[in-house]
Amino acid sequence: MTRFVVTGTDTGIGKTIFSAALAQATGAPYWKPIQSGLEEETDSETVARLAGVPVRPETYRLITPASPHRAAEIDNVNIDVETLAPPPGEFIVEGAGGALVPVTRTTLYADLFARWQIPVIVCARTALGTINHSLLTIEALRARGVPIHGLAFLGDAAEDSEAIISGISGVRRLGRLPIIDPLNGETLAEAFKANFALRDFA
Ligand SMILES: Nc1ncnc2c1ncn2[C@@H]1O[C@H](COP(=O)(O)OP(=O)(O)OP(=O)(O)O)[C@@H](O)[C@H]1O
Ligand SMILES: [Mg+2]
């Protein structure tokens, strides 16, 4: 069953584009529980545009473009982490930023993932710095008992970096999404098909 959390080593690394590709390939619905910053195209809008899959509305839509804990405070919104969970069945759930981004002053995304016990896909850049960021992210998830499904790399090929991250952590490499230009539903589907195996997400 396609039921995954998509997290990553940082903000702006391509989690939404990977989520859209995975949703498109599997037909699984997408959910971004908390969106902060509504000025630009939201992640849900991007996924709907690229993947054409059902998108569950965000539970919290915060105006301020900041970490959810801070955006909620500025917007005067109270995020209830107790009730924040995906419904049963197929879903691709995207966090915000990296695994240790605070949802509230006392709960991090990784704490939520640990509570949900849904396998996490770690998105990581291939650019310089990724070995450190990726291994730190994996350690932090493991320290909280979060199940890790695999690594999805994003960017130009960096075979040695990808191999050492997977080798040292023992987390399998699912594939790598290259930079796609132009980026649309069709080119995204082609890139996913060429670089990932659908059976790895069953
Ligand atoms: N494989 C790719 N090919 C081309 N452009 C990409 C690719 N991956 C990401 N991008 C572009 O990089 C930018 C950041 O990507 P994306 O929104 O997926 O990041 P994110 O990790 O989801 O960020 P956030 O933490 O804000 O949710 C976007 O403009 C997106 O279109
Ligand atoms: Mg995103």
Side-chain angles (χ1 to χ4, degrees):
M1 181 171 69
T2 308
R3 185 169 169 84
F4 297 108
V5 164
V6 175
T7 188
T9 54
D10 203 353
T11 186
I13 63 161
K15 294 184 301 293
T16 299
I17 303 303
F18 172 77
S19 299
L22 182 58
Q24 190 184 35
T26 59
Y30 170 88
W31 183 44
K32 174 102 175 176
I34 308 167
Q35 172 72 51
S36 38
L38 302 176
E39 286 246 316
E40 292 171 10
E41 185 179 61
T42 62
D43 287 8
S44 296
E45 287 163 356
T46 303
V47 172
R49 173 171 61 82
L50 289 172
V53 294
V55 172
R56 182 176 205 245
E58 303 94 335
T59 305
Y60 298 99
R61 287 170 57 86
L62 307 169
I63 297 162
T64 307
S67 169
H69 81 284
R70 187 68 191 133
E73 287 175 356
I74 294 167
D75 289 10
N76 257 314
V77 170
N78 182 35
I79 294 180
D80 180 7
V81 292
E82 301 301 325
T83 55
L84 198 63
E90 300 215 309
F91 258 103
I92 294 164
V93 185
E94 182 184 342
L100 297 195
V101 162
V103 177
T104 66
R105 293 233 160 231
T106 50
T107 303
L108 308 174
Y109 270 99
D111 299 324
L112 276 184
F113 304 157
R115 199 174 302 174
W116 296 346
Q117 286 296 305
I118 296 171
V120 165
I121 297 171
V122 178
C123 289
R125 290 191 189 96
T126 52
L128 193 63
T130 193
I131 299 174
N132 181 49
H133 290 151
S134 299
L135 294 178
L136 283 170
T137 300
I138 290 164
E139 281 206 8
L141 291 168
R142 285 203 170 127
R144 288 168 176 77
V146 178
I148 303 178
H149 183 69
L151 280 154
F153 289 99
L154 305 151
D156 297 334
E159 273 173 38
D160 188 76
S161 297
E162 296 174 39
I164 198 162
I165 291 165
S166 184
I168 288 183
S169 66
V171 176
R172 75 173 155 167
R173 176 192 181 280
L174 298 163
R176 174 182 60 85
L177 208 55
I179 302 298
I180 305 161
D181 184 22
L183 177 60
N184 56 49
E186 206 171 312
T187 55
L188 184 62
E190 279 167 22
F192 186 85
K193 199 168 171 216
N195 293 288
F196 290 88
L198 202 48
R199 65 174 179 277
D200 288 342
F201 301 94

